[in-house]
mmCIF file with all atom_site columns, all heavy atoms in Angstrom:
data_model
loop_
_atom_site.group_PDB
_atom_site.id
_atom_site.type_symbol
_atom_site.label_atom_id
_atom_site.label_alt_id
_atom_site.label_comp_id
_atom_site.label_asym_id
_atom_site.label_entity_id
_atom_site.label_seq_id
_atom_site.pdbx_PDB_ins_code
_atom_site.Cartn_x
_atom_site.Cartn_y
_atom_site.Cartn_z
_atom_site.occupancy
_atom_site.B_iso_or_equiv
_atom_site.pdbx_formal_charge
_atom_site.auth_seq_id
_atom_site.auth_comp_id
_atom_site.auth_asym_id
_atom_site.auth_atom_id
_atom_site.pdbx_PDB_model_num
ATOM 1   N N   . ASP A 1 70  ? -16.266 -15.265 23.293 1.00 95.00 ? 936  ASP A N   1
ATOM 2   C CA  . ASP A 1 70  ? -15.381 -16.333 22.873 1.00 95.00 ? 936  ASP A CA  1
ATOM 3   C C   . ASP A 1 70  ? -14.551 -15.805 21.702 1.00 95.00 ? 936  ASP A C   1
ATOM 4   O O   . ASP A 1 70  ? -15.113 -15.489 20.652 1.00 95.00 ? 936  ASP A O   1
ATOM 5   C CB  . ASP A 1 70  ? -16.224 -17.543 22.390 1.00 95.00 ? 936  ASP A CB  1
ATOM 6   C CG  . ASP A 1 70  ? -15.392 -18.738 21.921 1.00 95.00 ? 936  ASP A CG  1
ATOM 7   O OD1 . ASP A 1 70  ? -14.186 -18.525 21.647 1.00 95.00 ? 936  ASP A OD1 1
ATOM 8   O OD2 . ASP A 1 70  ? -15.966 -19.815 21.791 1.00 95.00 ? 936  ASP A OD2 1
ATOM 9   N N   . GLU A 1 72  ? -12.955 -17.157 19.595 1.00 97.00 ? 938  GLU A N   1
ATOM 10  C CA  . GLU A 1 72  ? -13.056 -17.976 18.381 1.00 97.00 ? 938  GLU A CA  1
ATOM 11  C C   . GLU A 1 72  ? -14.465 -17.944 17.787 1.00 97.00 ? 938  GLU A C   1
ATOM 12  O O   . GLU A 1 72  ? -14.803 -18.724 16.922 1.00 97.00 ? 938  GLU A O   1
ATOM 13  C CB  . GLU A 1 72  ? -12.580 -19.413 18.639 1.00 97.00 ? 938  GLU A CB  1
ATOM 14  C CG  . GLU A 1 72  ? -11.089 -19.403 18.954 1.00 97.00 ? 938  GLU A CG  1
ATOM 15  C CD  . GLU A 1 72  ? -10.355 -20.709 18.787 1.00 97.00 ? 938  GLU A CD  1
ATOM 16  O OE1 . GLU A 1 72  ? -10.947 -21.777 19.085 1.00 97.00 ? 938  GLU A OE1 1
ATOM 17  O OE2 . GLU A 1 72  ? -9.198  -20.642 18.349 1.00 97.00 ? 938  GLU A OE2 1
ATOM 18  N N   . ILE A 1 74  ? -16.425 -14.932 16.252 1.00 96.00 ? 940  ILE A N   1
ATOM 19  C CA  . ILE A 1 74  ? -16.345 -13.516 15.949 1.00 96.00 ? 940  ILE A CA  1
ATOM 20  C C   . ILE A 1 74  ? -17.062 -13.246 14.607 1.00 96.00 ? 940  ILE A C   1
ATOM 21  O O   . ILE A 1 74  ? -17.354 -14.159 13.864 1.00 96.00 ? 940  ILE A O   1
ATOM 22  C CB  . ILE A 1 74  ? -14.909 -13.011 15.874 1.00 96.00 ? 940  ILE A CB  1
ATOM 23  C CG1 . ILE A 1 74  ? -14.092 -13.783 14.823 1.00 96.00 ? 940  ILE A CG1 1
ATOM 24  C CG2 . ILE A 1 74  ? -14.257 -13.110 17.252 1.00 96.00 ? 940  ILE A CG2 1
ATOM 25  C CD1 . ILE A 1 74  ? -12.678 -13.270 14.583 1.00 96.00 ? 940  ILE A CD1 1
ATOM 26  N N   . LYS A 1 78  ? -14.279 -8.732  13.386 1.00 92.00 ? 944  LYS A N   1
ATOM 27  C CA  . LYS A 1 78  ? -13.458 -9.337  14.438 1.00 92.00 ? 944  LYS A CA  1
ATOM 28  C C   . LYS A 1 78  ? -13.970 -9.004  15.859 1.00 92.00 ? 944  LYS A C   1
ATOM 29  O O   . LYS A 1 78  ? -13.237 -8.986  16.822 1.00 92.00 ? 944  LYS A O   1
ATOM 30  C CB  . LYS A 1 78  ? -11.957 -8.999  14.292 1.00 92.00 ? 944  LYS A CB  1
ATOM 31  C CG  . LYS A 1 78  ? -11.456 -9.384  12.897 1.00 92.00 ? 944  LYS A CG  1
ATOM 32  C CD  . LYS A 1 78  ? -9.953  -9.324  12.763 1.00 92.00 ? 944  LYS A CD  1
ATOM 33  C CE  . LYS A 1 78  ? -9.522  -9.828  11.408 1.00 92.00 ? 944  LYS A CE  1
ATOM 34  N NZ  . LYS A 1 78  ? -9.714  -8.845  10.311 1.00 92.00 ? 944  LYS A NZ  1
ATOM 35  N N   . HIS A 1 92  ? -13.771 -20.937 4.701  1.00 98.00 ? 958  HIS A N   1
ATOM 36  C CA  . HIS A 1 92  ? -13.827 -19.747 3.854  1.00 98.00 ? 958  HIS A CA  1
ATOM 37  C C   . HIS A 1 92  ? -14.262 -20.030 2.402  1.00 98.00 ? 958  HIS A C   1
ATOM 38  O O   . HIS A 1 92  ? -14.909 -19.179 1.803  1.00 98.00 ? 958  HIS A O   1
ATOM 39  C CB  . HIS A 1 92  ? -12.451 -19.069 3.833  1.00 98.00 ? 958  HIS A CB  1
ATOM 40  C CG  . HIS A 1 92  ? -12.465 -17.788 4.601  1.00 98.00 ? 958  HIS A CG  1
ATOM 41  N ND1 . HIS A 1 92  ? -12.499 -17.747 5.985  1.00 98.00 ? 958  HIS A ND1 1
ATOM 42  C CD2 . HIS A 1 92  ? -12.466 -16.496 4.180  1.00 98.00 ? 958  HIS A CD2 1
ATOM 43  C CE1 . HIS A 1 92  ? -12.528 -16.482 6.360  1.00 98.00 ? 958  HIS A CE1 1
ATOM 44  N NE2 . HIS A 1 92  ? -12.531 -15.718 5.308  1.00 98.00 ? 958  HIS A NE2 1
ATOM 45  N N   . ARG A 1 100 ? -20.201 -15.588 -3.614 1.00 98.00 ? 966  ARG A N   1
ATOM 46  C CA  . ARG A 1 100 ? -19.856 -15.480 -5.029 1.00 98.00 ? 966  ARG A CA  1
ATOM 47  C C   . ARG A 1 100 ? -20.836 -16.278 -5.914 1.00 98.00 ? 966  ARG A C   1
ATOM 48  O O   . ARG A 1 100 ? -20.997 -16.003 -7.084 1.00 98.00 ? 966  ARG A O   1
ATOM 49  C CB  . ARG A 1 100 ? -18.432 -15.902 -5.261 1.00 98.00 ? 966  ARG A CB  1
ATOM 50  C CG  . ARG A 1 100 ? -17.447 -14.905 -4.642 1.00 98.00 ? 966  ARG A CG  1
ATOM 51  C CD  . ARG A 1 100 ? -16.123 -15.542 -4.236 1.00 98.00 ? 966  ARG A CD  1
ATOM 52  N NE  . ARG A 1 100 ? -15.319 -15.987 -5.349 1.00 98.00 ? 966  ARG A NE  1
ATOM 53  C CZ  . ARG A 1 100 ? -14.196 -15.408 -5.739 1.00 98.00 ? 966  ARG A CZ  1
ATOM 54  N NH1 . ARG A 1 100 ? -13.780 -14.297 -5.158 1.00 98.00 ? 966  ARG A NH1 1
ATOM 55  N NH2 . ARG A 1 100 ? -13.488 -15.924 -6.743 1.00 98.00 ? 966  ARG A NH2 1
ATOM 56  N N   . GLY A 1 129 ? 0.539   6.241   0.131  1.00 81.00 ? 995  GLY A N   1
ATOM 57  C CA  . GLY A 1 129 ? 1.118   5.746   1.374  1.00 81.00 ? 995  GLY A CA  1
ATOM 58  C C   . GLY A 1 129 ? 0.147   5.049   2.323  1.00 81.00 ? 995  GLY A C   1
ATOM 59  O O   . GLY A 1 129 ? 0.530   4.432   3.283  1.00 81.00 ? 995  GLY A O   1
ATOM 60  N N   . ILE A 1 131 ? -2.312  2.052   3.616  1.00 90.00 ? 997  ILE A N   1
ATOM 61  C CA  . ILE A 1 131 ? -2.205  0.610   3.529  1.00 90.00 ? 997  ILE A CA  1
ATOM 62  C C   . ILE A 1 131 ? -3.476  0.107   2.879  1.00 90.00 ? 997  ILE A C   1
ATOM 63  O O   . ILE A 1 131 ? -4.553  0.201   3.471  1.00 90.00 ? 997  ILE A O   1
ATOM 64  C CB  . ILE A 1 131 ? -2.066  -0.055  4.914  1.00 90.00 ? 997  ILE A CB  1
ATOM 65  C CG1 . ILE A 1 131 ? -1.027  0.659   5.770  1.00 90.00 ? 997  ILE A CG1 1
ATOM 66  C CG2 . ILE A 1 131 ? -1.807  -1.539  4.759  1.00 90.00 ? 997  ILE A CG2 1
ATOM 67  C CD1 . ILE A 1 131 ? 0.395   0.541   5.310  1.00 90.00 ? 997  ILE A CD1 1
ATOM 68  N N   . PRO A 1 132 ? -3.397  -0.428  1.638  1.00 91.00 ? 998  PRO A N   1
ATOM 69  C CA  . PRO A 1 132 ? -4.624  -0.882  1.034  1.00 91.00 ? 998  PRO A CA  1
ATOM 70  C C   . PRO A 1 132 ? -5.151  -2.145  1.704  1.00 91.00 ? 998  PRO A C   1
ATOM 71  O O   . PRO A 1 132 ? -4.386  -3.016  2.074  1.00 91.00 ? 998  PRO A O   1
ATOM 72  C CB  . PRO A 1 132 ? -4.190  -1.173  -0.447 1.00 91.00 ? 998  PRO A CB  1
ATOM 73  C CG  . PRO A 1 132 ? -2.752  -1.479  -0.336 1.00 91.00 ? 998  PRO A CG  1
ATOM 74  C CD  . PRO A 1 132 ? -2.205  -0.695  0.832  1.00 91.00 ? 998  PRO A CD  1
ATOM 75  N N   . VAL A 1 134 ? -8.806  -4.661  1.386  1.00 96.00 ? 1000 VAL A N   1
ATOM 76  C CA  . VAL A 1 134 ? -10.075 -4.788  0.726  1.00 96.00 ? 1000 VAL A CA  1
ATOM 77  C C   . VAL A 1 134 ? -11.018 -5.783  1.388  1.00 96.00 ? 1000 VAL A C   1
ATOM 78  O O   . VAL A 1 134 ? -12.245 -5.637  1.335  1.00 96.00 ? 1000 VAL A O   1
ATOM 79  C CB  . VAL A 1 134 ? -9.869  -5.160  -0.793 1.00 96.00 ? 1000 VAL A CB  1
ATOM 80  C CG1 . VAL A 1 134 ? -9.245  -6.539  -0.904 1.00 96.00 ? 1000 VAL A CG1 1
ATOM 81  C CG2 . VAL A 1 134 ? -11.180 -5.095  -1.539 1.00 96.00 ? 1000 VAL A CG2 1
ATOM 82  N N   . GLY A 1 135 ? -10.468 -6.747  2.103  1.00 96.00 ? 1001 GLY A N   1
ATOM 83  C CA  . GLY A 1 135 ? -11.332 -7.761  2.739  1.00 96.00 ? 1001 GLY A CA  1
ATOM 84  C C   . GLY A 1 135 ? -12.252 -8.430  1.774  1.00 96.00 ? 1001 GLY A C   1
ATOM 85  O O   . GLY A 1 135 ? -11.870 -8.770  0.653  1.00 96.00 ? 1001 GLY A O   1
ATOM 86  N N   . ASP A 1 139 ? -15.917 -9.154  -3.293 1.00 98.00 ? 1005 ASP A N   1
ATOM 87  C CA  . ASP A 1 139 ? -16.665 -10.402 -3.478 1.00 98.00 ? 1005 ASP A CA  1
ATOM 88  C C   . ASP A 1 139 ? -18.157 -10.162 -3.220 1.00 98.00 ? 1005 ASP A C   1
ATOM 89  O O   . ASP A 1 139 ? -19.009 -10.685 -3.960 1.00 98.00 ? 1005 ASP A O   1
ATOM 90  C CB  . ASP A 1 139 ? -16.151 -11.487 -2.509 1.00 98.00 ? 1005 ASP A CB  1
ATOM 91  C CG  . ASP A 1 139 ? -14.643 -11.693 -2.652 1.00 98.00 ? 1005 ASP A CG  1
ATOM 92  O OD1 . ASP A 1 139 ? -14.215 -12.247 -3.656 1.00 98.00 ? 1005 ASP A OD1 1
ATOM 93  O OD2 . ASP A 1 139 ? -13.901 -11.251 -1.759 1.00 98.00 ? 1005 ASP A OD2 1
ATOM 94  N N   . SER B 2 77  ? -5.828  -10.260 2.272  1.00 98.00 ? 107  SER B N   1
ATOM 95  C CA  . SER B 2 77  ? -6.969  -9.410  1.873  1.00 98.00 ? 107  SER B CA  1
ATOM 96  C C   . SER B 2 77  ? -7.071  -8.162  2.738  1.00 98.00 ? 107  SER B C   1
ATOM 97  O O   . SER B 2 77  ? -7.587  -7.128  2.292  1.00 98.00 ? 107  SER B O   1
ATOM 98  C CB  . SER B 2 77  ? -8.264  -10.194 1.927  1.00 98.00 ? 107  SER B CB  1
ATOM 99  O OG  . SER B 2 77  ? -8.877  -10.123 3.201  1.00 98.00 ? 107  SER B OG  1
ATOM 100 N N   . PRO B 2 79  ? -4.583  -6.204  5.292  1.00 95.00 ? 109  PRO B N   1
ATOM 101 C CA  . PRO B 2 79  ? -3.302  -6.189  6.016  1.00 95.00 ? 109  PRO B CA  1
ATOM 102 C C   . PRO B 2 79  ? -3.241  -5.225  7.174  1.00 95.00 ? 109  PRO B C   1
ATOM 103 O O   . PRO B 2 79  ? -2.199  -5.090  7.811  1.00 95.00 ? 109  PRO B O   1
ATOM 104 C CB  . PRO B 2 79  ? -2.306  -5.752  4.931  1.00 95.00 ? 109  PRO B CB  1
ATOM 105 C CG  . PRO B 2 79  ? -3.114  -4.991  3.942  1.00 95.00 ? 109  PRO B CG  1
ATOM 106 C CD  . PRO B 2 79  ? -4.485  -5.599  3.983  1.00 95.00 ? 109  PRO B CD  1
ATOM 107 N N   . ARG B 2 80  ? -4.329  -4.536  7.486  1.00 86.00 ? 110  ARG B N   1
ATOM 108 C CA  . ARG B 2 80  ? -4.271  -3.657  8.652  1.00 86.00 ? 110  ARG B CA  1
ATOM 109 C C   . ARG B 2 80  ? -5.488  -3.922  9.547  1.00 86.00 ? 110  ARG B C   1
ATOM 110 O O   . ARG B 2 80  ? -6.531  -4.331  9.072  1.00 86.00 ? 110  ARG B O   1
ATOM 111 C CB  . ARG B 2 80  ? -4.207  -2.179  8.288  1.00 86.00 ? 110  ARG B CB  1
ATOM 112 C CG  . ARG B 2 80  ? -5.367  -1.732  7.432  1.00 86.00 ? 110  ARG B CG  1
ATOM 113 C CD  . ARG B 2 80  ? -5.292  -0.240  7.186  1.00 86.00 ? 110  ARG B CD  1
ATOM 114 N NE  . ARG B 2 80  ? -5.975  0.167   5.959  1.00 86.00 ? 110  ARG B NE  1
ATOM 115 C CZ  . ARG B 2 80  ? -7.285  0.299   5.827  1.00 86.00 ? 110  ARG B CZ  1
ATOM 116 N NH1 . ARG B 2 80  ? -8.087  0.002   6.800  1.00 86.00 ? 110  ARG B NH1 1
ATOM 117 N NH2 . ARG B 2 80  ? -7.805  0.684   4.681  1.00 86.00 ? 110  ARG B NH2 1
ATOM 118 N N   . GLN B 2 92  ? 5.111   0.852   4.726  1.00 93.00 ? 122  GLN B N   1
ATOM 119 C CA  . GLN B 2 92  ? 5.274   2.268   4.383  1.00 93.00 ? 122  GLN B CA  1
ATOM 120 C C   . GLN B 2 92  ? 6.750   2.633   4.153  1.00 93.00 ? 122  GLN B C   1
ATOM 121 O O   . GLN B 2 92  ? 7.044   3.556   3.424  1.00 93.00 ? 122  GLN B O   1
ATOM 122 C CB  . GLN B 2 92  ? 4.637   3.167   5.459  1.00 93.00 ? 122  GLN B CB  1
ATOM 123 C CG  . GLN B 2 92  ? 3.152   3.314   5.181  1.00 93.00 ? 122  GLN B CG  1
ATOM 124 C CD  . GLN B 2 92  ? 2.344   3.835   6.330  1.00 93.00 ? 122  GLN B CD  1
ATOM 125 O OE1 . GLN B 2 92  ? 2.775   3.765   7.480  1.00 93.00 ? 122  GLN B OE1 1
ATOM 126 N NE2 . GLN B 2 92  ? 1.175   4.349   6.021  1.00 93.00 ? 122  GLN B NE2 1
ATOM 127 N N   . GLN B 2 103 ? -10.878 -11.152 -0.447 1.00 98.00 ? 133  GLN B N   1
ATOM 128 C CA  . GLN B 2 103 ? -10.937 -12.310 0.455  1.00 98.00 ? 133  GLN B CA  1
ATOM 129 C C   . GLN B 2 103 ? -11.468 -13.593 -0.162 1.00 98.00 ? 133  GLN B C   1
ATOM 130 O O   . GLN B 2 103 ? -10.938 -14.684 0.054  1.00 98.00 ? 133  GLN B O   1
ATOM 131 C CB  . GLN B 2 103 ? -11.751 -11.924 1.675  1.00 98.00 ? 133  GLN B CB  1
ATOM 132 C CG  . GLN B 2 103 ? -11.502 -12.782 2.873  1.00 98.00 ? 133  GLN B CG  1
ATOM 133 C CD  . GLN B 2 103 ? -12.238 -12.265 4.092  1.00 98.00 ? 133  GLN B CD  1
ATOM 134 O OE1 . GLN B 2 103 ? -12.723 -13.037 4.901  1.00 98.00 ? 133  GLN B OE1 1
ATOM 135 N NE2 . GLN B 2 103 ? -12.349 -10.993 4.287  1.00 98.00 ? 133  GLN B NE2 1
ATOM 136 N N   . GLY B 2 104 ? -12.549 -13.446 -0.932 1.00 98.00 ? 134  GLY B N   1
ATOM 137 C CA  . GLY B 2 104 ? -13.130 -14.622 -1.577 1.00 98.00 ? 134  GLY B CA  1
ATOM 138 C C   . GLY B 2 104 ? -12.226 -15.164 -2.686 1.00 98.00 ? 134  GLY B C   1
ATOM 139 O O   . GLY B 2 104 ? -12.127 -16.400 -2.893 1.00 98.00 ? 134  GLY B O   1
ATOM 140 N N   . THR B 2 105 ? -11.578 -14.276 -3.395 1.00 98.00 ? 135  THR B N   1
ATOM 141 C CA  . THR B 2 105 ? -10.599 -14.677 -4.435 1.00 98.00 ? 135  THR B CA  1
ATOM 142 C C   . THR B 2 105 ? -9.433  -15.367 -3.782 1.00 98.00 ? 135  THR B C   1
ATOM 143 O O   . THR B 2 105 ? -8.934  -16.380 -4.270 1.00 98.00 ? 135  THR B O   1
ATOM 144 C CB  . THR B 2 105 ? -10.137 -13.460 -5.257 1.00 98.00 ? 135  THR B CB  1
ATOM 145 O OG1 . THR B 2 105 ? -11.288 -12.964 -5.964 1.00 98.00 ? 135  THR B OG1 1
ATOM 146 C CG2 . THR B 2 105 ? -9.081  -13.851 -6.272 1.00 98.00 ? 135  THR B CG2 1
ATOM 147 N N   . LYS B 2 158 ? -4.418  -24.248 12.836 1.00 98.00 ? 188  LYS B N   1
ATOM 148 C CA  . LYS B 2 158 ? -4.856  -24.566 14.174 1.00 98.00 ? 188  LYS B CA  1
ATOM 149 C C   . LYS B 2 158 ? -6.210  -25.265 14.151 1.00 98.00 ? 188  LYS B C   1
ATOM 150 O O   . LYS B 2 158 ? -7.113  -24.818 13.389 1.00 98.00 ? 188  LYS B O   1
ATOM 151 C CB  . LYS B 2 158 ? -4.977  -23.265 15.016 1.00 98.00 ? 188  LYS B CB  1
ATOM 152 C CG  . LYS B 2 158 ? -5.354  -23.452 16.465 1.00 98.00 ? 188  LYS B CG  1
ATOM 153 C CD  . LYS B 2 158 ? -5.598  -22.081 17.067 1.00 98.00 ? 188  LYS B CD  1
ATOM 154 C CE  . LYS B 2 158 ? -5.878  -22.154 18.537 1.00 98.00 ? 188  LYS B CE  1
ATOM 155 N NZ  . LYS B 2 158 ? -6.254  -20.818 19.070 1.00 98.00 ? 188  LYS B NZ  1
ATOM 156 N N   . ASN B 2 171 ? -12.945 -25.285 15.705 1.00 98.00 ? 201  ASN B N   1
ATOM 157 C CA  . ASN B 2 171 ? -13.780 -24.640 16.706 1.00 98.00 ? 201  ASN B CA  1
ATOM 158 C C   . ASN B 2 171 ? -14.403 -23.371 16.153 1.00 98.00 ? 201  ASN B C   1
ATOM 159 O O   . ASN B 2 171 ? -13.701 -22.388 15.877 1.00 98.00 ? 201  ASN B O   1
ATOM 160 C CB  . ASN B 2 171 ? -12.945 -24.306 17.977 1.00 98.00 ? 201  ASN B CB  1
ATOM 161 C CG  . ASN B 2 171 ? -13.815 -23.765 19.090 1.00 98.00 ? 201  ASN B CG  1
ATOM 162 O OD1 . ASN B 2 171 ? -14.905 -24.286 19.361 1.00 98.00 ? 201  ASN B OD1 1
ATOM 163 N ND2 . ASN B 2 171 ? -13.385 -22.665 19.697 1.00 98.00 ? 201  ASN B ND2 1
ATOM 164 N N   . LYS B 2 172 ? -15.723 -23.398 16.002 1.00 98.00 ? 202  LYS B N   1
ATOM 165 C CA  . LYS B 2 172 ? -16.493 -22.191 15.626 1.00 98.00 ? 202  LYS B CA  1
ATOM 166 C C   . LYS B 2 172 ? -15.865 -21.449 14.403 1.00 98.00 ? 202  LYS B C   1
ATOM 167 O O   . LYS B 2 172 ? -15.505 -22.086 13.432 1.00 98.00 ? 202  LYS B O   1
ATOM 168 C CB  . LYS B 2 172 ? -16.666 -21.310 16.841 1.00 98.00 ? 202  LYS B CB  1
ATOM 169 C CG  . LYS B 2 172 ? -17.326 -22.046 18.042 1.00 98.00 ? 202  LYS B CG  1
ATOM 170 C CD  . LYS B 2 172 ? -17.656 -21.093 19.172 1.00 98.00 ? 202  LYS B CD  1
ATOM 171 C CE  . LYS B 2 172 ? -18.309 -21.839 20.342 1.00 98.00 ? 202  LYS B CE  1
ATOM 172 N NZ  . LYS B 2 172 ? -17.334 -22.478 21.217 1.00 98.00 ? 202  LYS B NZ  1
ATOM 173 N N   . THR B 2 173 ? -15.785 -20.108 14.522 1.00 98.00 ? 203  THR B N   1
ATOM 174 C CA  . THR B 2 173 ? -15.277 -19.358 13.394 1.00 98.00 ? 203  THR B CA  1
ATOM 175 C C   . THR B 2 173 ? -13.745 -19.357 13.328 1.00 98.00 ? 203  THR B C   1
ATOM 176 O O   . THR B 2 173 ? -13.152 -18.650 12.503 1.00 98.00 ? 203  THR B O   1
ATOM 177 C CB  . THR B 2 173 ? -15.761 -17.860 13.424 1.00 98.00 ? 203  THR B CB  1
ATOM 178 O OG1 . THR B 2 173 ? -15.413 -17.264 14.643 1.00 98.00 ? 203  THR B OG1 1
ATOM 179 C CG2 . THR B 2 173 ? -17.291 -17.815 13.242 1.00 98.00 ? 203  THR B CG2 1
ATOM 180 N N   . ASN B 2 176 ? -12.315 -20.960 9.586  1.00 98.00 ? 206  ASN B N   1
ATOM 181 C CA  . ASN B 2 176 ? -12.011 -20.054 8.469  1.00 98.00 ? 206  ASN B CA  1
ATOM 182 C C   . ASN B 2 176 ? -11.133 -20.636 7.306  1.00 98.00 ? 206  ASN B C   1
ATOM 183 O O   . ASN B 2 176 ? -11.590 -21.484 6.561  1.00 98.00 ? 206  ASN B O   1
ATOM 184 C CB  . ASN B 2 176 ? -11.558 -18.686 8.981  1.00 98.00 ? 206  ASN B CB  1
ATOM 185 C CG  . ASN B 2 176 ? -10.363 -18.663 9.854  1.00 98.00 ? 206  ASN B CG  1
ATOM 186 O OD1 . ASN B 2 176 ? -9.262  -18.954 9.422  1.00 98.00 ? 206  ASN B OD1 1
ATOM 187 N ND2 . ASN B 2 176 ? -10.552 -18.303 11.115 1.00 98.00 ? 206  ASN B ND2 1
#
Side-chain angles (χ1 to χ4, degrees):
Chain A
D936 179 345
E938 295 200 322
I940 59 174
K944 304 191 176 78
H958 252 74
R966 292 153 66 108
I997 312 294
V1000 66
D1005 305 288
Chain B
S107 88
R110 57 176 155 78
Q122 276 165 339
Q133 200 174 142
T135 295
K188 182 188 185 186
N201 185 45
K202 304 188 179 84
T203 57
N206 58 68

